[in-house]
Amino acid sequence: MFDAHLVQEFQSLGTPFYYYDLSVLQQTIDAVSTYGLSRGYHVHYALKANNNDRILKLMRNAGFGADCVSGEEIVKAVESGFSPGTIAFAGVGKSDEEIRTGLANDIFSFNCESLQEISVLNDMASGMNKKVRIALRINPNVKANTHKYITTGLDENKFGILAADLPELLDNLDRYAHLKVTGIHFHIGSQIEDQQSFRDLCEKVNSLQPLFEQRGITLQHINVGGGLGIDYAEPDEHSVPDFERYFGLFSQHLELRKGQELHFELGRSLIGQCGSLISRILFVKEGINTRFAIIDAGMTELIRPALYQARHRVDALTSSKPPKIYHVVGPICESSDTFRTDIPLPEVDRGDLVAIRSCGAYGQVMSSDYNLRKRAEARYSDEFMPDSHS
Ligand code: LLP
């Protein structure tokens, strides 16, 4: 990903910054097209993973819809050219204003997460004299085998309607004259590497479909959410996630009814591997049995290690000396501001550059100005083409 020319260009730039390799992104989009869209599946890009304008444009041009979790994301998606008819809106706590934004835009579907939300939405739709498409977000109680902070589909999680509450809800749908149930929605978690979790989800969906059929409710679409994990340890070997296997699994195990559409909401797997956080070594400090490489990026630019104990690969870009063992840490006044502990890196010194890999998803979007730090900029690979200065 980082050839000599690129690293040379980086050296003249202020750090830290996010670097997005558009060729990796294009390969990723192409794989989704080949294995997903070509099957007739619908993919909604989860804006929450990265909402940079350039990225959104590429996702829209790829033929993806949008997956939004706030009113502002809906506004952003529409401004970025996503057709409102492709916008799914999930969220366990939608404010009245956000609901109004969704209603005003006639979005593809409100993914409703509680009985009370359904009732409020119906009242608001009635006030605007509209009939609104909704999908019921059902909590499937399926284990995602991922970090507990990003597990969303277990009974104890706040998301979705409990399967046990469904029969009564479905029996009383005629109370909601301004809503039309067009689909069901699931999202069991994020950074899922165990394919069995997706198989379990398929089986759960299969077991729920008859509940609707018995009541004469036609489900036009099944939305299985997102969650496909990426390889944080070896981002170059697996720069594009295995979409053939992922979509193939749903194709094989999900029993879609005739005419039923299958929708996905992918975030991390689309945008994660194309992004890196480029940072400079400020100081190297010998500790007790440790050696700290103190870099100019911190938890303000990438909070995942501090929040989820995530391990992002760190590559030294400007040293090829024999390796030493380092703790790679940021400058923020918290000990959780640590990217990696005890990793070998070619010996580095003040001024050397490092790349923290797999930062495209949930990196820049989760950044903050804690400690009054300036927001890091985004840079894109096409700025650095050999002839881009001529
Ligand atoms: N659909 C819904 C309803 C979601 O809540 C999410 C992510 C997605 C789709 C997209 O999931 P993905 O394909 O990206 O796994 N900040 C955390 C991840 C939070 C995910 C939130 N929901 C992290 O950095 O790991």
Side-chain angles (χ1 to χ4, degrees):
M1 188 180 259
F2 307 104
D3 61 21
H5 164 75
L6 189 59
V7 172
Q8 198 189 345
E9 297 256 345
F10 284 179
Q11 272 167 328
S12 62
L13 299 173
T15 46
F17 61 88
Y18 300 95
Y19 171 74
Y20 296 98
D21 186 324
L22 299 177
S23 66
V24 170
L25 179 55
Q26 194 56 50
Q27 288 164 28
T28 309
I29 287 173
D30 291 347
V32 171
S33 243
T34 304
Y35 299 111
L37 302 191
S38 67
R39 285 191 159 101
Y41 297 164
H42 299 256
V43 172
H44 302 255
Y45 170 62
L47 266 74
K48 65 178 82 65
N50 185 313
N51 59 33
N52 290 2
D53 291 336
R54 285 204 64 180
I55 304 287
L56 293 183
K57 214 168 269 172
L58 288 166
M59 296 300 183
R60 181 205 65 197
N61 290 343
F64 303 153
D67 163 42
C68 298
V69 284
S70 73
E72 287 306 310
E73 281 192 354
I74 295 175
V75 171
K76 182 84 187 177
V78 173
E79 281 172 3
S80 307
F82 287 92
S83 149
T86 70
I87 297 177
F89 180 23
V92 70
K94 303 176 182 77
S95 72
D96 291 9
E97 192 186 339
E98 290 176 316
I99 291 176
R100 271 193 291 274
T101 302
L103 288 171
N105 283 287
D106 283 325
I107 58 173
F108 167 67
S109 110
F110 282 81
N111 296 347
C112 294
E113 308 219 10
S114 67
L115 302 186
Q116 195 166 26
E117 179 190 340
I118 290 171
S119 162
V120 167
L121 182 57
N122 184 62
D123 290 349
M124 290 179 67
S126 153
M128 289 170 84
N129 203 19
K130 288 196 168 192
K131 183 119 180 170
V132 178
R133 292 179 293 269
I134 69 166
L136 302 177
R137 176 169 179 177
I138 301 168
N139 183 329
N141 197 27
V142 164
K143 243 177 126 176
N145 293 314
T146 184
H147 192 279
K148 70 173 179 187
Y149 289 178
I150 49 175
T151 291
T152 49
L154 291 176
D155 278 349
E156 66 254 36
N157 296 133
K158 66 181 175 181
F159 302 96
I161 296 165
L162 290 175
D165 291 339
L166 267 184
E168 196 184 332
L169 168 64
L170 298 186
D171 289 339
N172 293 297
L173 272 187
D174 52 359
R175 288 187 194 159
Y176 310 111
H178 289 269
L179 307 182
K180 179 172 168 52
V181 177
T182 56
I184 47 178
H185 172 230
F186 305 83
H187 176 71
I188 58 174
S190 199
Q191 185 50 22
I192 299 169
E193 292 172 285
D194 183 353
Q195 300 293 307
Q196 184 61 39
S197 298
F198 293 122
R199 275 191 73 161
D200 292 347
L201 175 61
C202 290
E203 264 144 44
K204 192 73 191 193
V205 176
N206 294 341
S207 74
L208 288 169
Q209 290 240 48
L211 271 185
F212 292 82
E213 287 163 328
Q214 286 152 12
R215 292 167 174 81
I217 302 167
T218 305
L219 292 175
Q220 293 165 9
H221 78 270
I222 309 288
N223 180 342
V224 290
L228 177 63
I230 60 173
D231 189 345
Y232 282 97
E234 297 293 349
D236 290 321
E237 276 174 39
H238 299 121
S239 56
V240 178
D242 192 347
F243 288 109
E244 181 175 12
R245 180 165 175 224
Y246 176 70
F247 289 116
L249 184 148
F250 285 93
S251 159
Q252 194 183 344
H253 297 285
L254 198 66
E255 292 162 10
L256 286 181
R257 305 301 191 249
K258 202 161 178 274
Q260 215 165 40
E261 293 175 354
L262 181 54
H263 291 242
F264 295 84
E265 299 170 339
L266 299 178
R268 187 190 318 264
S269 55
L270 292 179
I271 189 69
Q273 293 295 43
C274 79
S276 296
L277 177 58
I278 310 299
S279 179
R280 254 192 189 91
I281 310 270
L282 293 173
F283 305 109
V284 176
K285 181 163 90 169
E286 299 292 332
I288 297 172
N289 298 327
T290 51
R291 180 179 298 110
F292 295 102
I294 305 166
I295 64 174
D296 63 3
M299 63 197 287
T300 38
E301 286 71 46
L302 181 70
I303 201 172
R304 303 194 67 259
L307 198 53
Y308 316 112
Q309 297 77 50
R311 285 197 213 121
H312 287 246
R313 188 183 163 93
V314 179
D315 287 334
L317 299 183
T318 48
S319 167
S320 48
K321 292 183 187 155
K324 288 191 162 182
I325 302 295
Y326 293 94
H327 287 3
V328 180
V329 301
I332 309 293
C333 315
E334 305 216 13
S335 293
S336 59
D337 186 32
T338 295
F339 290 103
R340 294 297 300 266
T341 54
D342 291 322
I343 58 159
L345 281 181
E347 185 181 351
V348 287
D349 207 344
R350 177 172 170 79
D352 274 321
L353 291 176
V354 293
I356 302 173
R357 306 293 306 279
S358 313
C359 290
Y362 308 113
Q364 199 174 356
V365 273
M366 293 181 81
S367 67
S368 76
D369 60 3
Y370 185 41
N371 290 191
L372 271 187
R373 280 166 60 82
K374 285 206 185 88
R375 302 275 178 161
E377 282 177 37
R379 298 183 176 272
Y380 298 89
S381 50
D382 57 357
E383 293 171 37
F384 301 99
M385 298 305 204
D387 57 356
S388 69
H389 299 305
S390 56

